[in-house]
Structure formats: C-alpha cells, structure tokens
Amino acid sequence: MKLRYIAQAMAAMALMASCTDNDYMELDKGSEPLALTTSSAEVELRESAHSATAVELTWTSGTNYGTGNRISYTLEIAEAGTAFASPFEVKSDVTQDYSWAPSVETLNAILLDKLGAQAGYPFALEARVTATVAGFEEPQQATANFSVTPYTPVSETLYIIGDAAPNGWNADNATALARTDNGIFSWTGELKAGEFKFILNQGEFLPSYNNNGKGGLVLRTDDDQPDDKFSITEAGYYRLDVNLLALTIAVTPTEGVVPEFPELFFVGEETDWNFNPMTPDPLDPFIFKIGVFFTKGGEFKFGTTAGSWENMFKATQPNAPYTDQSMELVKGFDPDNKWFLNADETNRAYRISVDTRTGQQRMMMREFTLFTEMYLVGSAAPCGWDLGNATPMTMDPSDPYIFTWTGALTEGELKFSADKQSDWNGAWFLAPTDGAEPTGTAQQVIFINKSDSWYTDMYTEIAVGDVDRKWNITSAGNYTITLNQLLDQITIIKN
C-alpha cells in the first residue's frame, strides 16, 4: 500500500503545474489523518436567536501526500444511523475551506425541510467530510456526530381583525402588520372602540393570536379553545408592536397619523452595506434626510430596521439613476432593485430626502450645494435683525462644510442665514422646534431654502415660506457655535 501511494505521488508531480494551489506551497501537508469536530454535541435551536451561529463544524486539512496538490472538500450531513443514504450536501468540492457555521435559521430549515426532523424533538445527526487530492483516486473521510433540536418557525405574516380594526371582522380583507424581523410586527393607524385579535393568513380565522388573559398573546389553533380578544376602549390612533416569539403586545396611543416606520437607514456599497441612520425631518415625520459624501458610489437602498433586509424602500427599476424619484416599499426580499451612483458621479456630496408617506413614496437626491458663507441673525446676535449686516461665521479651513463663531450673545432669538437674501426667502438653518434652547451638545437643525423649488416640492403638507423656527438664548454670555451644513447639526456652547 505504501509503495502504491509513493507511485501515485510521483505520477501526481507531473500535474503540479495545473493543480498546484498557492496555499499549498508547503509541499508536505503531513500525514495526520483528516479529522472533523463540532463545537457542541447537543444543540437546541431557538428562533429568537435566528441570526446567531447554531454550531460550527471544523476539519483539518488532511494530507496531500507531500505533492503540493490542491485538496478539495465535500461536507454532508444526514440522520445518524442511515449510513448517509439520503444526505444533505452542505458544501461540494470546495478548497481552502475548513469550516461550516450555519445560522440558527439556516440549520433549522435544513432539518425540517431536507432531513425530516420534527420540531421540539432532538434529531441525531452525522456529518461527513470527504477530502480529495488531485491525482489520487482514494478520498479521505472523517465523521462526527451531534444532536440538534429544531423549532417550528412562527408566521411570516400577521393580520388584525375585529370591530376595532380598520376592516372589521372581514378575514378576507384583514389589515396586514409590517414584519420587521422574525416574529416582530408593527402597525400604526386608527382603531375604533371595540375588540380585535390577529390571524396568520387572510381568509382564515384559524390559527389566530388571542389575549391570554394577562395582556399577552396565546396561539389559538382550534375552535374549542378560548377566543379571548384585546379591546380598545377609546377610538383613536394607535401603534401596535407584536412579538410572536416573546408572545407580547404593546398598544401605544399616538397623536394623529404617524409613520409606519419610525426609523430609516441608508444602506449600500458606500456604507459597506452597514445601516447608517437617517434623520427624521422635524417639519414632517414621514420624511427622512441624510447628507452623504460619496467616494465609492455603487448601489444603495433604504432600510426600516437596523440589520434587517426586509421592509426596505427600494428603486422600482434595476440600477436606477439617482435622479429617479420612483420608490416602493418591498416587504419581503424581492424585487431587490436599487439606485446606482456611477464612478464619475462620486467624490462629491449629496443631499438625500426620502418621503415614506403611503401614496407618495419617493426618493429625492441631488448634488449638495456648498455654502461658502454663514451668518448669525436675530435679537440675540451682535447685529440683531439687520440681515444686511448679519454677523459672519468662519469656514473651517480643513472642512468646508463646517462653520464656527465665538462671541457674545444676548438673551433673545437666533437663526442662521446662508445667503443673506434680502427678501428673507433664501437659505436658512433653523431650530428643530420654535424656541428650542441650546443643550451644549450637537443638535439637529432644519435646512430649508425658501426660494428653491426642490424644497417646496419636497414638503407636500407644509407651506415652506411660513417656516421660521428660531433658537432661544435664555442666558447672555460668551458662546462658541459650530454648524455642520452637511450633517445639519449645530452645537451652541456657553463658554
């Protein structure tokens, strides 16, 4: 046997030019046998940790018999004791790959959909890794055993019905809640005085989630089970937050119509697909804004929950230009159309505004207008309300988006002009609420250009010309002010 391996090795040397892998420049990989190990012998999967690693299988390289030839690996899992009669192939003919660490959700789906496991019961598994060396007929194999208990995934859809609900008890026209993550749903809207519960599928009264008698949820699967419901005693606008994993519900009164999603995130190649939070507009809570200096460009879209790829606002065509305002809310994963910023459109800043209001959802984006001057105006400022002689700020020599000023302020009102337009209908940086007081930390400002149609078109519910929110300086003294026009942030510190 040893002589045959030597002969095979000599024959395989002739193939090294085509088979050698740069990671195998160390010709002798040793003679240790291939070994497969698992990070845990017993695993219980829980959907609340669906994105976490369920278990990690790792294997050694095995030997390439000193040839330097590429080693490829195939990993399979099967029900223990079946001699891999019907295995599930996890990895096939991979190289330079020595582990498999599936998420809880991935492994759970494999067990239930591919291997016939039963939720709630331990399922004995056997894993097998096969290593094949180029030029050698006989593979190396190693196995490992472990046990996994899968779960039954909760519903991916949820609907509200009842005489308190918008469409009453009509299950065929039940109102959908928005899914933000596994088992997590929310909805905001008007509820009448009355009762409600939740169903999983339109047109089907069972299964349903009902009141467990303690203000929490209970899954009802049979007509013989109690049919207790939740109640609304006073009609009005409410936000519902439902967690099917924790079996909890929160019913929160709101003032008028509020956005379905209270947060929005800019996501794309520019952020390395991280979720960068956008700023809710103080003038209109349905609008979210962000200023971005693009260096990479590429694809981008907008998320409603940090880290979640569901319920995203996307373009309506593939590789949409940034000037395309058309936008849609995609509650699943597909279609996955995104905007695309070309390379020759990068190395510059842009303002982005996203309107999430149902019926007029759109994305507005344009190149950032850099203001090279900034002025203090108001009864608290050194020159008062004399716009023509307004007090100038100083542009930061290392960052043209930042202006600073240090000096004396009196008690009174304050706002900031970027152009000293004599009719007062120019570009302004205003307080988020009228009479807002400085906190000494970074605070949001409203930027609005009253003579620019881009802004008058953006605010469909507001008369832009009437907006005039000012800061309230309550204590006279020496102050340092820093205004960042790209981030729409200001810091007013009393020295």
Side-chain angles (χ1 to χ4, degrees):
M1 180 67 70
K2 182 176 181 180
L3 291 175
R4 191 179 76 180
Y5 279 143
I6 293 175
Q8 288 179 322
M10 293 178 65
M13 293 292 285
L15 302 174
M16 286 182 63
S18 60
C19 298
T20 299
D21 189 315
N22 288 335
D23 274 11
Y24 290 92
M25 292 306 292
E26 178 189 342
L27 299 185
D28 187 358
K29 299 301 289 184
S31 58
E32 290 295 323
L34 181 69
L36 175 64
T37 57
T38 66
S39 60
S40 180
E42 296 182 358
V43 180
E44 183 175 358
L45 304 180
R46 297 184 183 278
E47 191 169 9
S48 56
H50 65 92
S51 60
T53 298
V55 66
E56 185 174 17
L57 278 65
T58 57
W59 53 91
T60 59
S61 65
T63 180
N64 62 356
Y65 311 111
T67 64
N69 287 4
R70 183 189 300 268
I71 306 177
S72 60
Y73 304 93
T74 296
L75 179 65
E76 304 165 290
I77 58 174
E79 184 177 3
T82 62
F84 289 90
S86 300
F88 177 76
E89 193 171 77
V90 175
K91 296 189 175 186
S92 176
D93 199 31
V94 297
T95 58
Q96 303 174 39
D97 191 345
Y98 309 99
S99 66
W100 180 55
S103 68
V104 167
E105 189 167 19
T106 297
L107 184 56
N108 194 73
I110 292 173
L111 291 174
L112 297 181
D113 301 337
K114 305 297 183 181
L115 298 178
Q118 186 175 354
Y121 294 90
F123 189 78
L125 286 166
E126 187 173 11
R128 178 174 68 187
V129 62
T130 301
T132 304
V133 181
F136 288 79
E137 296 179 359
E138 293 189 14
Q140 306 162 66
Q141 287 190 331
T143 60
N145 291 78
F146 61 110
S147 173
V148 181
T149 303
Y151 59 84
T152 300
V154 297
S155 176
E156 295 185 358
T157 56
L158 194 68
Y159 303 85
I160 181 174
I161 60 171
D163 46 33
N167 296 319
W169 290 105
N170 186 352
D172 293 326
N173 195 29
T175 302
L177 280 75
R179 180 180 185 268
T180 57
D181 201 351
N182 289 38
I184 310 297
F185 297 85
S186 66
W187 177 83
T188 300
E190 188 174 9
L191 294 176
K192 309 176 186 69
E195 296 181 321
F196 69 91
K197 61 178 180 179
F198 304 98
I199 57 175
L200 278 59
N201 304 294
Q202 280 191 325
E204 301 176 9
F205 286 98
L206 289 174
S208 65
Y209 280 95
N210 292 57
N211 192 335
N212 66 359
K214 302 177 182 179
L217 300 167
V218 61
L219 180 63
R220 181 172 183 260
T221 58
D222 190 277
D223 284 328
D224 293 333
Q225 295 172 324
D227 192 20
D228 296 331
K229 306 170 187 68
F230 300 94
S231 62
I232 296 294
T233 57
E234 184 177 347
Y237 288 93
Y238 292 85
R239 176 182 173 89
L240 304 181
D241 290 287
V242 179
N243 188 326
L244 300 185
L245 302 178
L247 296 175
T248 60
I249 178 174
V251 182
T252 307
T254 63
E255 295 184 4
V257 179
V258 297
E260 181 179 4
F261 303 102
E263 297 180 302
L264 204 65
F265 300 86
F266 173 71
V267 188
E269 293 182 57
E270 186 66 35
T271 69
D272 293 325
W273 297 105
N274 293 312
F275 286 65
N276 285 8
M278 302 180 70
T279 302
D281 193 311
L283 297 176
D284 188 336
F286 288 87
I287 294 177
F288 295 81
K289 294 180 177 178
I290 191 170
V292 181
F293 190 95
F294 283 85
T295 59
K296 302 175 186 177
E299 297 178 324
F300 64 90
K301 53 186 174 179
F302 303 92
T304 58
T305 302
S308 175
W309 301 102
E310 298 182 71
N311 295 300
M312 302 193 82
F313 287 99
K314 303 178 182 181
T316 57
Q317 62 172 321
N319 298 322
Y322 77 87
T323 54
D324 184 356
Q325 296 186 9
S326 180
M327 184 180 78
E328 64 178 342
L329 174 63
V330 178
K331 295 201 171 184
F333 299 99
D334 296 314
D336 193 23
N337 296 320
K338 296 175 279 288
W339 289 271
F340 190 90
L341 196 69
N342 296 310
D344 60 0
E345 297 170 324
T346 61
N347 294 317
R348 65 197 73 171
Y350 291 83
R351 281 192 179 274
I352 301 175
S353 174
V354 177
D355 191 337
T356 63
R357 185 177 280 102
T358 301
Q360 62 182 53
Q361 298 164 349
R362 58 180 174 164
M363 192 282 296
M364 298 178 65
M365 176 174 170
R366 75 171 184 181
E367 194 170 341
F368 189 91
T369 299
L370 178 67
F371 292 102
T372 58
E373 297 178 333
M374 197 69 61
Y375 302 90
L376 282 70
V377 185
S379 57
C383 294
W385 289 109
D386 186 353
L387 182 58
N389 293 311
T391 304
M393 302 181 73
T394 301
M395 179 185 287
D396 189 321
S398 62
D399 189 338
Y401 297 102
I402 295 177
F403 286 87
T404 59
W405 178 84
T406 298
L409 295 177
T410 62
E411 294 183 10
E413 297 178 324
L414 186 66
K415 59 182 180 177
F416 301 86
S417 171
D419 56 8
K420 292 201 302 182
Q421 188 165 308
S422 59
D423 62 359
W424 296 79
N425 284 319
W428 293 94
F429 287 88
L430 306 173
T433 58
D434 197 30
E437 297 181 13
T439 62
T441 59
Q443 294 174 273
Q444 183 183 359
V445 292
I446 298 171
F447 173 73
I448 195 165
N449 192 335
K450 299 184 179 184
S451 61
D452 188 334
S453 61
W454 196 74
Y455 290 91
T456 56
D457 291 344
M458 178 191 307
Y459 294 103
T460 59
E461 308 292 323
I462 296 170
V464 171
D466 296 336
V467 178
D468 188 25
R469 299 181 179 183
K470 299 173 283 289
W471 297 91
N472 181 23
I473 305 301
T474 59
S475 176
N478 185 270
Y479 285 81
T480 294
I481 302 174
T482 303
L483 191 153
N484 189 318
Q485 60 177 313
L486 178 61
L487 302 182
D488 288 342
Q489 288 183 347
I490 193 170
T491 304
I492 304 175
I493 300 175
K494 187 175 184 182
N495 300 317

